[in-house]
Amino acid sequence: MHTADTDPDMSSGTAPAAAAAPASPSQPPGEGAVSVLWSFGKCLAALLPVYLAGYYGFSISFLLLGVMIYMGYKHGRLEKEMRLKSSMYLLENEREFTTQKLFRSRRDLPPWINFPDVEKVEWLNKILQQAWPFVGQYLEKLLVETIAPAIRASSIHLQTLNFTKVNLGEKALKLVGVKAHTEQDKRQVMLDLYLSYAGDVEINVEIKKYFCKAGVKGVQLHGKLRVILEPLIGDVPLVGAVTMFFIRRPKLDINWTGLTNLLDIPGLNAMSDTMIMDAIASHLVLPNRLTIPLVADLHVAQLRSPLPRGVVRIHLLEAEDLTAKDTVIKGLIDGKSDPYAVLRVGTQIFTSHHVDSNLNPQWREMYEVIVHEVPGQELEVEVFDKDPDQDDFLGRAKIDLDIVKKARIVDDWFNLRDVPSGSVHLRLEWLSLLSSADRLSEVIQKNQNLTAKTADPPSAAILAVYLDQAYELPMRKDNKDPSPMVQISVQDTTKESKTCYGTNNPVWEDAFTFFIQDPRKQDIDIQVKDDDRAFPLGSLTIPLSRLLESHELTLDQWFHLENPGLASRLYAKIVLRVLWLSDDASPTTPSPPPSGSGSGLDQGEITSNQNSTGPGGQTKPLPSRPQNTTPDPEFATEGVLRIHLVEAQNLIAKDNFMGGMVKGKSDPYVKIRVAGITFRSHTIKENLNPVWNELYEVILTQLPGQEIQFELFDKDIDQDDFLGRFKLNLRDIISTQFIDTWYTLNDVKSGRVHLVMEWLPRVTDLPRLEQVLQYQSQQSYQNKVVPSAAVLFVYVERAHGLPLKKNGKEPKAGVEITLKNVSYKTKICERSTSPRWDEACHFLVRDPRDETFTLKLSHSWGQTLGSLTVVLREVLSEPGLMLDKWFSLDGALPESQILLRVTLK
C-alpha cells in the first residue's frame, strides 16, 4: 500500500510530489514492493489468455466468451451480495420499513400485516437471537467432531478434509409470523411458521491433499414451514411426535466462496441452487415429511405419510383469448400459439397435449391429484406456447384447494396472471374418502360414464400401503444377511421401498399410495428382494376384494410370505378408501381473493371473483349452498372402552393402631385416568379384599402410546394413603378387544386388582340393537351405570340466514349441543349470518329409541339465535343410521337453517 493512499494532502490535490514520498515508518518498505508485484502479477494473469489465444491460433470468440462468463459471474455475485444486504436491512428495520412504506405493494409487507390471523412472535425471536451463538457452537461441534470424520471415512480422496471455519454469524433465524390452525383435527396442533433467514453465516472447508478450498459466506432462506404436533396424549410429554415440512419449496440463495465461486457462474448458479433445493425437497417438502417420535409404539410411517385429506379431480377444459406468440415478420403480423398446460399440486405434475395454432384451445383432459394438506396446498396452472427451441410463457393461475374442499365443485374461468390477456376454464371436484364399500358400485358406474382424452380412467378408490417390517427373511446363497427392499405393484404401477442393508429383520416404515379403478378386480403384488433385485426373499399377493370385506376397509396384521422360509412374514397396514362425490354437490365459484398479491411469503393466490366474468363477458352465478356436509375422513372413527372394575385382593393395611402394633384395615378406592378423564370408585370401609363391581365407559381415539392409569388409595380424614398403581397400554386392549385378568400393583409389597375391559367395535347394523339392549338390561353394577348401546356422532358444519342482533349487527354465533346432562360447545365464529364451525362431537347413548338431543345457537352464549331438537328414533330409520342435511331452526327467521351430520353407531 503506497503512502499516497493515506496522505491528507493528496486528497486535496495540492501535493503531487507526495506520490513519490518514501513509505511511512508505520509500513515496512517490503510491503509496498509486494503490493506492486501482486498488481503486476494480476495484470500478467489477465493478459495471459490473450497471449495463449494468439500463440495457438484460437478464434477471438473464445476470448469474448470468457469475458462474457466473467462479467456474468461478477454481475451474479454483486446481485447476490445486494440481495443479502437488503434482506438483512429489512429484517433489522422491519418496524421502520412497515410504517414508512405502508402504502407500497402488499408484497413487501410482512404476513402479520396482510393476514390478521398471523401473529407476531417477537419474544421468540429475542430468544433465538440470544441463543444463536450457542446454536453456532453446537453446529461447529457437530461439523468438526461428527460430520467431518464421517466424510473422511467415506472416501480416500477426502481423508484430508477439514472444516477450517464454522461461524453462524450474528444474524439469527427470524420468525416473521406464526399462524395456528384450530379448525382442523382436535387431536393435533398445527402451526405455520413463516421463516426468514438472511444470515452472515461463514463456513469454510479445505481438502489439503488437493489444495482445495471452498465455502459459503451468506445464505438466504424464506418459506413457510408447517409443524404438526400429533397425536396429543394424556401423558408427558403430551405430544406423541413432531412432524414438519414445507408446503411449497422455500426460496434459497447461497453466496459461495473459494473454489465453489464457480457455482456463481450463470447457468451453474441456478443448477447448484436447484440441486440443493431438490435435496431439501426430498426430505422436507410435501409429500415428504420429517417426523420425530417422542414416545414409543408409534406408527411412524402413518405419521410421515398419513391418509390424504382428499382427492381433487381436475378437468382441464379449455382456454380463451391467449396471447399470440408465433408472430410473423418480427411481429408486424400477428400469428397464433400452440398452447399446452402444465398443472402442479406439490410434486405431482401433469402436462396436457398441445393444440396447434389456436388461441382458444380445447383440451378436455382429466387428472387426479392427492391432497395432503388443506389449508395450504394449491393448484398451479401454467400455460405455454410449444416451440422448437424454447417454449413461450402464456400465463399462470393459482387456486387454493381449501376452497375446493369447502365448495366440493368449482367450475369457473380463471384469469391468467403475468400476461396481457387469457383465461382458463377448470372444473375441480373434491372427492371425499369413504371407509365403507356401500357406494363403490355406484362410484364405478359413474366413472364409466365419464370420458376423457387421458389414458387413465377415473379412479374409484385410493389405496394406502404402510410397509412396517419383516421377520426372519431367508439368508442369501452365501449364507450372509440379505439387504432387503420391497417392490409393491398394483396393475401397471410399481413403487419401491428403501433398502435395509445387512439384516433379515428389516424395518422400512415406508408408505405408498395408489389410485384404484376397480378394487373388485385388482390385486396388490408385494415382492421382497435383495438389493440386487435378482434374489427373491418372498412374495405376497392380496386381492383388493379382501379389503372390501374387512372392517373399515383396512388390514393391519402380519402376512406370511410365499416361497421363503416357513417363519418369514411381513407386517403392513393396508387401507382402502372409496372416492365419493356427492350427488347434491353443485358447481360453486371460489371466494373473492384479498386485494393485492400477498405477503411475498408464498401466500396462495386466487384469481377468481365471486361474480367473475367469463371471456364472453357473461357474469358467473353466485355460489349455491352445498346440500351435504364434508367432514374430516376421521369423523366417527372413535371407539368405546368399557372398564369393569371388579375387585381387589391382599391390599396393604394402612389404618394401624398403637403405632403399628395392632394391624387394622384400609378404606380403599380407585382412581382411573384415561385421555384426560378421571373416574373414581366409591370407598369400601375396612376391607383389604374389596369388591366394587363398577362400570365406566369412555369414548377414545385410537392413539399410539395412549395409556390407562390405575391408582389405589386408602381414604383417610387427613391425607389418603397410597396402596399401589399400574398402567395398561390401550393398544394391547384394542388388539385383543376383551381382557379379563388380574393385575399386580406396583410400588407396594402386595395387592392385585381384577379388571374386565372391552374395546367395543362400532357397527351400523340396526337388527343388532335389540340384542344389545336386551343384554345391557341384564347387567347390574354397584355404581348404577346402565351400559351404553350406541354412540352418537354430530358434525356441525355451517348455518345460513341467522337473525341479526337487536342492535342490527351480525351475530357472533356459537352452538351448544346437549344430550341429557352432557353438553358440548363449539367455537364462537366471527360476525356473520352464515357462520361456519366444522366441528364434531360425540355422546354415549343408553337407548337411542327414546332419547333426543337439542342444539341451541346463540350470540356469544347470550342472545338466542335459534334452536333444534332431533329425535334419535328418526336417525334409526335412515339408511346407514345417518342424517345429513339442512335443518330449519325454531325461534328464528324462516330462512334460518343449520347443516348437520348426525350418525349413530
Side-chain angles (χ1 to χ4, degrees):
M1 183 173 182
H2 300 295
T3 54
D5 295 335
T6 58
D7 195 332
D9 292 334
M10 184 67 181
S11 62
S12 61
T14 59
S24 63
S26 62
Q27 179 182 2
E31 287 191 15
V34 170
S35 178
V36 171
L37 289 174
W38 176 246
S39 300
F40 177 74
K42 287 196 293 184
C43 293
L44 189 63
L47 293 173
L48 183 62
V50 180
Y51 169 76
L52 291 176
Y55 182 82
Y56 289 104
F58 290 137
S59 170
I60 192 66
S61 59
F62 283 98
L63 290 177
L64 294 176
L65 179 62
V67 171
M68 289 175 62
I69 292 176
Y70 178 75
M71 294 298 293
Y73 159 75
K74 292 295 290 183
H75 180 70
R77 293 282 298 179
L78 287 174
E79 274 196 345
K80 276 193 174 183
E81 291 174 2
M82 290 300 296
R83 286 198 301 268
L84 186 62
K85 290 178 181 178
S86 299
S87 297
M88 288 181 179
Y89 174 80
L90 177 60
L91 288 177
E92 289 177 352
N93 303 275
E94 182 184 19
R95 182 182 300 274
E96 177 186 352
F97 181 85
T98 302
T99 54
Q100 291 184 0
K101 311 291 185 181
L102 190 58
F103 296 104
R104 287 172 57 120
S105 168
R106 290 166 62 90
R107 188 181 302 276
D108 297 328
L109 300 179
W112 52 269
I113 294 291
N114 289 323
F115 307 96
D117 53 353
V118 177
E119 302 174 7
K120 292 185 67 177
V121 282
E122 284 304 313
W123 60 273
L124 191 53
N125 287 324
K126 291 177 182 178
I127 294 175
L128 279 172
Q129 185 64 51
Q130 193 80 0
W132 198 246
F134 302 96
V135 175
Q137 292 176 18
Y138 170 75
L139 180 63
E140 181 177 9
K141 185 177 179 181
L142 179 68
L143 289 173
V144 173
E145 298 181 6
T146 304
I147 295 179
I151 296 174
R152 287 195 291 267
S154 66
S155 172
I156 58 173
H157 302 291
L158 301 175
Q159 289 179 348
T160 57
L161 179 141
N162 278 299
F163 287 95
T164 57
K165 185 173 185 179
V166 179
N167 181 16
L168 270 189
E170 299 179 355
K171 311 294 182 183
L173 174 72
K174 190 166 185 179
L175 293 178
V176 185
V178 174
K179 179 177 180 179
H181 295 278
T182 57
E183 69 278 6
Q184 301 299 313
D185 192 343
K186 299 298 180 183
R187 295 162 292 187
Q188 64 178 208
V189 175
M190 185 188 298
L191 302 172
D192 284 341
L193 309 182
Y194 293 85
L195 305 181
S196 188
Y197 178 56
D200 50 350
V201 57
E202 187 172 0
I203 300 176
N204 295 329
V205 64
E206 180 182 14
I207 305 176
K208 294 182 179 178
K209 182 178 179 180
Y210 301 103
F211 305 100
C212 173
K213 294 183 179 180
V216 171
K217 188 175 183 179
V219 173
Q220 283 194 74
L221 179 69
H222 306 282
K224 183 169 71 172
L225 180 72
R226 176 158 291 180
V227 177
I228 301 177
L229 310 177
E230 69 169 340
L232 300 180
I233 57 178
D235 205 349
V236 176
L238 302 180
V239 176
V242 178
T243 301
M244 59 186 72
F245 52 87
F246 288 98
I247 294 179
R248 290 176 290 277
R249 289 188 173 217
K251 297 174 182 176
L252 178 69
D253 201 355
I254 301 175
N255 195 22
W256 302 100
T257 63
L259 184 64
T260 45
N261 267 326
L262 296 174
L263 296 178
D264 278 330
I265 294 175
L268 288 179
N269 180 16
M271 187 185 304
S272 63
D273 288 355
T274 300
M275 291 174 63
I276 293 171
M277 272 313 309
D278 287 342
I280 295 175
S282 66
H283 293 91
L284 269 176
V285 178
L286 271 181
N288 304 297
R289 304 167 184 239
L290 175 63
T291 300
I292 304 170
L294 303 180
V295 297
D297 299 327
L298 280 177
H299 287 297
V300 177
Q302 295 179 42
L303 292 174
R304 189 179 295 125
S305 302
L307 271 178
R309 301 286 184 179
V311 170
V312 171
R313 185 171 289 155
I314 304 169
H315 297 270
L316 175 65
L317 301 177
E318 56 189 320
E320 286 198 3
D321 199 23
L322 297 181
T323 306
K325 289 291 184 178
D326 299 336
T327 56
V328 186
I329 314 180
K330 295 186 177 181
L332 293 176
I333 301 176
D334 287 336
K336 299 284 187 179
S337 288
D338 308 319
Y340 68 93
V342 177
L343 300 91
R344 294 185 184 88
V345 175
T347 56
Q348 303 167 87
I349 302 176
F350 305 92
T351 302
S352 74
H353 72 282
H354 76 274
V355 180
D356 290 324
S357 302
N358 198 329
L359 299 183
N360 302 293
Q362 292 197 2
W363 291 289
R364 306 292 174 185
E365 297 187 6
M366 184 272 293
Y367 311 97
E368 292 170 330
V369 295
I370 294 174
V371 182
H372 298 277
E373 287 294 324
V374 284
Q377 283 193 282
E378 58 189 18
L379 165 65
E380 182 178 4
V381 181
E382 291 184 313
V383 184
F384 295 92
D385 168 35
K386 183 73 174 177
D387 280 334
D389 47 1
Q390 184 174 358
D391 297 345
D392 296 316
F393 178 69
L394 296 179
R396 69 165 53 90
K398 290 184 180 180
I399 302 96
D400 190 340
L401 294 180
D402 191 35
I403 292 174
V404 184
K405 179 187 176 185
K406 292 175 180 176
R408 283 183 296 175
I409 295 181
V410 173
D411 190 343
D412 202 6
W413 288 89
F414 296 90
N415 294 325
L416 295 175
R417 306 284 296 271
D418 305 326
V419 286
S421 66
S423 56
V424 62
H425 185 192
L426 301 172
R427 179 184 172 89
L428 310 174
E429 300 169 346
W430 180 270
L431 306 177
S432 302
L433 309 182
L434 303 184
S435 57
S436 168
D438 296 343
R439 290 172 166 168
L440 177 61
S441 298
E442 185 180 350
V443 169
I444 293 175
Q445 183 61 44
K446 285 182 180 179
N447 289 347
Q448 290 174 351
N449 299 329
L450 292 176
T451 57
K453 290 186 180 180
T454 50
D456 296 328
S459 302
I462 62 167
L463 179 74
V465 180
Y466 300 100
L467 179 65
D468 192 356
Q469 59 183 306
Y471 177 73
E472 288 294 326
L473 295 179
M475 306 297 284
R476 297 171 59 173
K477 293 180 180 179
D478 54 4
N479 207 30
K480 292 183 179 179
D481 283 328
S483 297
M485 53 78 61
V486 179
Q487 293 177 334
I488 303 178
S489 303
V490 177
Q491 206 160 326
D492 299 328
T493 304
T494 299
K495 299 185 180 182
E496 292 189 353
S497 74
K498 66 183 180 184
T499 301
C500 294
Y501 293 96
T503 177
N504 67 336
N505 296 306
V507 178
W508 294 286
E509 293 186 334
D510 275 348
F512 310 93
T513 307
F514 300 87
F515 282 106
I516 305 296
Q517 275 73 47
D518 189 346
R520 301 171 301 184
K521 303 176 181 178
Q522 293 177 267
D523 301 328
I524 315 170
D525 181 59
I526 299 177
Q527 300 287 331
V528 185
K529 299 181 179 180
D530 202 11
D531 60 341
D532 60 2
R533 301 334 190 245
F535 182 65
L537 302 174
S539 63
L540 173 67
T541 300
I542 304 173
L544 293 185
S545 56
R546 181 178 168 187
L547 277 164
L548 298 177
E549 300 167 358
S550 60
H551 178 61
E552 293 189 346
L553 310 184
T554 301
L555 293 174
D556 188 0
Q557 64 184 67
W558 286 96
F559 297 91
H560 286 282
L561 295 173
E562 300 173 2
N563 300 327
L566 295 177
S568 297
R569 31 184 201 153
L570 177 143
Y571 191 88
K573 181 176 181 179
I574 306 174
V575 181
L576 186 73
R577 289 293 182 263
V578 177
L579 301 178
W580 174 251
L581 176 65
S582 174
D583 292 328
D584 299 326
S586 54
T588 307
T589 60
S591 303
S595 60
S597 56
S599 67
L601 281 171
D602 293 333
Q603 297 298 325
E605 299 172 83
I606 307 167
T607 59
S608 172
N609 291 327
Q610 191 80 1
N611 287 306
S612 60
T613 57
Q618 295 131 348
T619 302
K620 294 291 180 284
L622 290 171
S624 59
R625 290 186 295 154
Q627 297 305 305
N628 295 102
T629 60
T630 53
D632 188 273
E634 298 298 318
F635 171 70
T637 58
E638 293 86 352
V640 175
L641 176 66
R642 184 172 288 164
I643 304 171
H644 181 195
L645 175 63
V646 184
E647 58 184 321
Q649 289 182 353
N650 300 326
L651 300 183
I652 296 175
K654 288 291 185 178
D655 298 337
N656 299 323
F657 301 97
M658 300 177 64
M661 296 179 62
V662 179
K663 293 292 184 182
K665 301 284 188 179
S666 288
D667 307 323
Y669 68 91
V670 181
K671 280 186 177 180
I672 305 172
R673 294 185 177 91
V674 53
I677 303 171
T678 301
F679 300 102
R680 174 173 169 164
S681 73
H682 72 281
T683 302
I684 298 181
K685 297 289 186 179
E686 299 183 357
N687 198 329
L688 300 182
N689 300 290
V691 177
W692 285 286
N693 188 29
E694 297 188 5
L695 184 73
Y696 309 97
E697 294 176 322
V698 59
I699 302 174
L700 293 177
T701 305
Q702 300 182 37
L703 297 178
Q706 194 165 4
E707 293 181 326
I708 311 164
Q709 184 177 23
F710 297 83
E711 291 182 314
L712 277 73
F713 295 92
D714 167 36
K715 181 67 177 176
D716 280 334
I717 298 175
D718 48 1
Q719 184 175 357
D720 298 347
D721 296 316
F722 178 69
L723 296 179
R725 67 161 63 93
F726 62 95
K727 293 181 180 180
L728 301 178
N729 194 308
L730 178 63
R731 187 176 180 181
D732 297 334
I733 302 171
I734 294 174
S735 61
T736 58
Q737 295 199 342
F738 182 86
I739 295 178
D740 183 354
T741 189
W742 289 87
Y743 293 93
T744 303
L745 294 172
N746 299 322
D747 304 328
V748 288
K749 295 180 180 178
S750 67
R752 60 178 188 161
V753 176
H754 183 196
L755 293 175
V756 178
M757 284 173 292
E758 300 173 89
W759 178 259
L760 306 178
R762 307 167 311 283
V763 296
T764 54
D765 188 4
L766 185 58
R768 289 194 184 183
L769 179 60
E770 289 295 336
Q771 303 172 18
V772 171
L773 290 171
Q774 184 178 359
Y775 173 77
Q776 312 290 44
S777 64
Q778 298 171 1
Q779 309 303 309
S780 176
Y781 300 97
Q782 190 69 27
N783 57 345
K784 303 188 185 318
V785 168
V786 179
S788 302
V791 181
L792 172 68
F793 298 93
V794 182
Y795 177 72
V796 186
E797 182 166 300
R798 65 180 80 192
H800 175 74
L802 296 185
L804 299 175
K805 289 180 60 185
K806 295 177 181 178
N807 59 7
K809 292 184 178 180
E810 293 183 328
K812 294 182 177 180
V815 181
E816 182 177 9
I817 306 166
T818 305
L819 178 69
K820 288 194 171 180
N821 58 345
V822 181
S823 65
Y824 172 85
K825 289 184 176 180
T826 68
K827 67 184 179 184
I828 296 177
C829 291
E830 294 299 320
R831 294 188 183 275
S832 174
T833 57
S834 299
R836 180 161 186 159
W837 296 279
D838 288 317
E839 292 194 31
C841 58
H842 41 62
F843 302 88
L844 290 169
V845 180
R846 304 285 163 75
D847 188 347
R849 301 172 304 180
D850 301 330
E851 297 189 32
T852 62
F853 76 88
T854 59
L855 182 145
K856 179 183 175 182
L857 284 80
S858 60
H859 166 73
S860 299
W861 314 125
Q863 177 186 335
T864 301
L865 302 173
S867 62
L868 172 68
T869 300
V870 178
V871 180
L872 295 188
R873 186 178 289 275
E874 296 179 12
V875 185
L876 293 175
S877 63
E878 294 292 323
L881 307 185
M882 182 179 72
L883 277 173
D884 191 346
K885 64 177 184 177
W886 287 93
F887 293 83
S888 296
L889 295 173
D890 299 326
L893 299 175
E895 64 270 21
S896 298
Q897 292 182 311
I898 188 167
L899 181 58
L900 300 177
R901 175 177 291 193
V902 182
T903 302
L904 271 174
K905 292 193 177 182

